[in-house]
Amino acid sequence: MNAPSSSSTLAWRSVALPTGTLELRLERGASEADALLGFAARANAKRGFLFLSKVLGKHWPVRSSAMLAIHERLAATVPQVDGPVLFIAMAETAVGLGQGVFEAWLRAHPGHPALFLHTTRYRVGSSPLIEFEEAHSHAPRQFLHEPQDPALRDLLLAARTLVLVDDEASTGNTFVNLAAACRRLNPGIRQVHLATITNFMGAQASSGLDARFGMPVSLGALVEGEFRFSAGTCAPDGGVAQRFDPAAENGASGAFGRLGLARAMRAPETLADDLAAGVRPGERVLVLGTGEFMHASTLLGAALERRGVEVWVQSTTRSPILSWGAVGHALRFADNYGEGIANFLYNVRPGQYDQVFICHETAVNPALRELAELLGARLFHFHSEDRVEEIPVR
């Protein structure tokens, strides 16, 4: 993607997908767009395209150091603020991104009160839920838990700035829905900042956000532009991607962000020492997160990278995507959260890595054992950030 000479000569780029035609016009960040994203086709009749991030650690393997650099850049886009700041990351794709941006912001603003939450598609305990909709998603019901800890709840209610983090913004509708839900809980929120890797809402829509949100809105994105999509005759159905049961115990933990965090997570340094000692020179290592449980794997990958290990980080996902374009290979397997839906891993083939470490928050179950056997991997159950148990695969 070449940067245009001026806004008046911006050229549309056309991408023919199996599901239709995607047209894209870039206004900023064109010089690094190819390094940051590719294009994929969703198995989703509601939306047949995907801006696939190469620095998110979700659908594409990436170095932890590259991910952390993105976190720093997006954190730097947050304007100077007064009062507590509420950071919310969008599940499932941007959970790790949002937590990383929050932690990068904390490092740049030591002592400034801030709270991190991430949305989820699971219930955790008896904490009250805020529900909102991600209409174009294959799994549209999203939930935000209110913190149970009184100090964290006080932070939530005292926040004056809301920072919403996602990998991309295309319409802004989900952000508007979530911000409205947050303001019903905390009417004192005075401004919103949207931090995204890509913003494809277009200049006109972006300039009208204040009116849509009903308060001042700022934007921070690495790539900006607009898109058009013409759906084709191929509209594949990825199947059921959400079976929410409010009474179900899915094994989703409240310790890693669903119920709030006011500090950075600690990296598993002792585990990294032990694992690095068993990696031979030249071996390729994959640290694999599972579903919404992403940030711990990033921190483990970063710790291994500091020890000289050739390591990449990625995560499984519930998103059904066709094997085309930026998705060269797809693995399908059972859901370790027990919803009975298909999960996927993209751009990873069995045997591609010499060692694979799977990080999970749920108790070990047949789905995790199946995935471990498929990849020849080891399983690591994170009971908390400081208590990690390796689970024998056999």
Side-chain angles (χ1 to χ4, degrees):
M1 299 179 185
N2 297 318
S5 57
S6 70
S7 60
S8 63
T9 59
L10 291 172
W12 286 91
R13 172 180 177 177
S14 180
V15 182
L17 284 69
T19 52
T21 301
L22 177 66
E23 295 177 280
L24 192 69
R25 182 163 64 180
L26 298 183
E27 299 162 357
R28 194 171 69 84
S31 62
E32 62 174 339
D34 285 331
L36 294 177
L37 78 151
F39 305 101
R42 297 176 187 260
N44 179 355
K46 298 182 197 175
R47 174 174 283 191
F49 64 93
L50 174 67
F51 300 114
L52 187 145
S53 171
K54 297 179 180 178
V55 291
L56 188 64
K58 194 62 177 176
H59 311 111
W60 187 279
V62 62
R63 302 276 193 172
S64 287
S65 55
M67 297 172 67
L68 296 176
I70 295 297
H71 300 165
E72 296 281 351
R73 292 175 64 185
L74 288 180
T77 70
V78 179
Q80 293 295 319
V81 297
D82 296 320
V85 183
L86 172 60
F87 286 77
I88 299 180
M90 306 298 289
E92 76 176 5
T93 303
V95 168
L97 176 70
Q99 199 156 2
V101 170
F102 164 73
E103 293 184 357
W105 190 88
L106 285 181
R107 289 191 294 271
H109 301 83
H112 195 120
L115 175 68
F116 170 76
L117 288 165
H118 74 76
T119 68
T120 181
R121 292 185 171 94
Y122 308 110
R123 171 176 282 283
V124 177
S126 58
S127 176
L129 289 174
I130 299 170
E131 181 172 352
F132 64 101
E133 186 176 78
E134 186 179 9
H136 66 263
S137 175
H138 52 284
R141 295 184 72 185
Q142 287 249 35
F143 307 100
L144 186 72
H145 287 81
E146 296 180 30
Q148 295 175 330
D149 180 277
L152 297 182
R153 181 173 171 79
D154 287 346
L155 264 180
L156 170 63
L157 298 179
R160 294 297 173 260
T161 300
L162 175 63
V163 179
L164 301 178
V165 185
D166 207 349
D167 58 314
E168 58 101 354
S170 52
T171 66
N173 292 337
T174 304
F175 286 142
V176 171
N177 292 341
L178 178 55
C182 289
R183 287 191 88 184
R184 287 194 294 271
L185 183 64
N186 174 5
I189 293 173
R190 294 194 297 256
Q191 61 183 335
V192 175
H193 180 75
L194 308 181
T196 62
I197 298 173
T198 58
N199 168 25
F200 290 124
M201 289 187 289
Q204 183 174 355
S206 296
S207 65
L209 289 176
D210 288 10
R212 291 181 66 192
F213 279 80
M215 59 183 151
V217 179
S218 55
L219 278 163
L222 307 184
V223 176
E224 292 186 297
E226 59 183 318
F227 77 95
R228 300 186 299 223
F229 182 70
S230 301
T233 57
C234 173
D237 182 1
V240 176
Q242 186 172 29
R243 290 193 177 102
F244 177 72
D245 178 356
E249 290 294 333
N250 299 101
S253 173
F256 302 100
R258 292 185 183 91
L259 299 182
L261 288 171
R263 58 170 179 80
M265 275 180 57
R266 291 181 289 274
E269 302 288 351
T270 300
L271 176 61
D273 283 336
D274 293 342
L275 295 179
V279 177
R280 293 184 291 273
E283 284 192 323
R284 293 165 54 89
V285 173
L286 176 67
V287 179
L288 186 65
T290 44
E292 294 179 1
F293 187 65
M294 295 179 63
H295 194 55
S297 57
T298 301
L299 296 179
L300 176 57
L304 290 171
E305 194 173 346
R306 290 194 296 269
R307 289 158 174 80
V309 175
E310 292 289 310
V311 58
W312 287 261
V313 174
Q314 203 173 330
S315 174
T316 64
T317 177
R318 69 167 75 205
S319 300
I321 308 172
L322 302 181
S323 293
W324 177 90
V327 173
H329 189 266
L331 294 173
R332 178 182 174 127
F333 41 88
D335 162 36
N336 66 296
Y337 287 91
E339 284 190 313
I341 60 174
N343 274 208
F344 306 91
L345 177 61
Y346 298 111
N347 293 312
V348 174
R349 298 176 184 271
Q352 180 176 339
Y353 295 92
D354 299 291
Q355 296 196 50
V356 179
F357 308 135
I358 299 175
C359 304
H360 56 98
E361 60 178 338
T362 65
V364 68
N365 53 36
L368 284 168
R369 294 189 184 279
E370 173 195 354
L371 180 59
E373 292 181 7
L374 182 65
L375 298 175
R378 296 164 65 181
L379 294 172
F380 294 90
H381 183 189
F382 281 68
H383 298 272
S384 69
E385 58 195 309
D386 298 315
R387 182 181 165 221
V388 185
E389 175 189 10
E390 180 168 7
I391 306 296
V393 176
R394 294 180 178 84

